[in-house]
Amino acid sequence: MGFLKRILRPTTQDDAIPTSAPGSFERLSDEELQVHMGIKTYGMFELTDAIRPSYDVQISPRQGFRYDKYVDESNGSTTPVIMAAASKPILMDVFLDLIDQLGSVVDVVLETSHHSSSQHEDLYREHIDVPVLKSILMEFEDVLLNDGCTGIAIINTAKQQEVQLDEHKLLIAYGTPLDGFRQTLINSDVYPDDSIKFVTEAEHVHSSSERLYDKFQQFKTRLGVEDEHEPECGAW
């Protein structure tokens, strides 16, 4: 979720605010940019409002998942990972189903980059019952799906497993075993695809707005998250 962002052009308060690293987007006229941001579907895949691929669509979004690994640079240890893309109509349901694999009580990390040009801010909440959490997540589905500056991670430190819905609206599951996550994805018609590429692997643009930022503030309050540099639960 560390994609570098900056505002491309000033906008009115309620307009979507595209944010991106320097690239082809800066060469677009306002009209070309708005047309590109208005394209929601690529084949059978529907994007949320949070992100768009490069103007020349270097990677066309599609549904599926692949295996990967996370390497801890501090000690060289590796953690198996599933990365998945799900079309907007099923994205929230798949995310909630993946959370069920973590158990009945979890920790939450809410990530925001609304006011940062180079990094995101982590906000923590420990020990929340999953039914309570899922109710809050459904209440703020609009922010989770459509705000390109909001991401969330749900963690069970005892199991050393984690599920993310990141700023790019990719689903990422960490830990061992991954079998439950795999089956949840397949049950939702998100199938393994070793050749799949995600929009994060090429130039892309994020989008947010003042309306979504205001909703994010409400979301933060409902979750009861706190701004801490180091969560008590620690990293794993």
Side-chain angles (χ1 to χ4, degrees):
M1 298 189 196
F3 181 70
L4 304 184
K5 299 182 177 66
R6 64 190 185 84
I7 295 175
L8 287 174
R9 294 182 176 87
T11 62
T12 60
Q13 181 172 342
D14 294 328
D15 286 344
I17 303 172
T19 60
S20 173
S24 65
F25 289 103
E26 292 198 343
R27 297 190 292 270
L28 301 181
S29 67
D30 288 334
E31 182 179 357
E32 288 172 326
L33 180 62
Q34 290 304 316
V35 168
H36 183 67
M37 296 300 291
I39 300 173
K40 297 178 180 290
T41 57
Y42 291 83
M44 299 295 293
F45 191 92
E46 181 180 351
L47 290 165
T48 74
D49 292 341
I51 193 166
R52 292 292 182 268
S54 61
Y55 186 67
D56 57 355
V57 193
Q58 297 167 17
I59 293 176
S60 183
R62 70 178 193 262
Q63 189 159 288
F65 73 85
R66 74 173 193 233
Y67 289 94
D68 210 320
K69 63 181 178 180
Y70 167 76
V71 180
D72 188 332
E73 295 181 357
S74 65
N75 57 26
S77 64
T78 62
T79 302
V81 174
I82 286 179
M83 296 184 64
S87 189
K88 180 180 179 179
I90 67 168
L91 178 56
M92 192 67 182
D93 287 340
V94 177
F95 178 49
L96 296 175
D97 288 345
L98 289 170
I99 291 172
D100 286 337
Q101 298 294 320
L102 296 175
S104 59
V105 179
V106 293
D107 300 335
V108 177
V109 181
L110 185 62
E111 300 188 359
T112 169
S113 57
H114 289 94
H115 295 305
S116 174
S117 62
S118 61
Q119 60 185 359
H120 62 257
E121 178 184 10
D122 292 340
L123 307 167
Y124 299 94
R125 162 72 189 270
E126 295 183 344
H127 309 310
I128 183 170
D129 291 338
V130 164
V132 175
L133 172 63
K134 290 173 71 173
S135 177
I136 297 172
L137 296 180
M138 287 186 287
E139 181 182 350
F140 290 93
E141 179 177 354
D142 183 25
V143 176
L144 286 167
L145 295 191
N146 295 311
D147 188 358
C149 294
T150 294
I152 194 167
I154 316 300
I155 304 165
N156 185 319
T157 54
K159 288 187 172 184
Q160 295 192 344
Q161 290 183 318
E162 174 177 339
V163 173
Q164 287 185 12
L165 177 62
D166 76 355
E167 292 178 334
H168 309 92
K169 310 315 163 189
L170 296 177
L171 296 164
I172 308 170
Y174 297 83
T176 303
L178 291 172
D179 296 350
F181 301 123
R182 172 191 170 91
Q183 194 58 51
T184 297
L185 291 167
I186 291 173
N187 290 346
S188 300
D189 295 326
V190 182
Y191 296 108
D193 181 351
D194 291 340
S195 66
I196 193 170
K197 297 290 186 182
F198 301 108
V199 292
T200 54
E201 297 176 89
E203 186 183 22
H204 57 279
V205 64
H206 295 238
S207 179
S208 187
S209 68
E210 289 298 326
R211 179 186 67 82
L212 287 170
Y213 177 69
D214 289 343
K215 282 196 171 184
F216 172 83
Q217 294 298 320
Q218 298 171 32
F219 183 31
K220 183 172 71 172
T221 299
R222 288 281 283 116
L223 274 177
V225 293
E226 297 180 357
D227 181 6
E228 299 175 359
H229 293 295
E230 293 291 341
E232 292 182 8
C233 61
W236 54 265

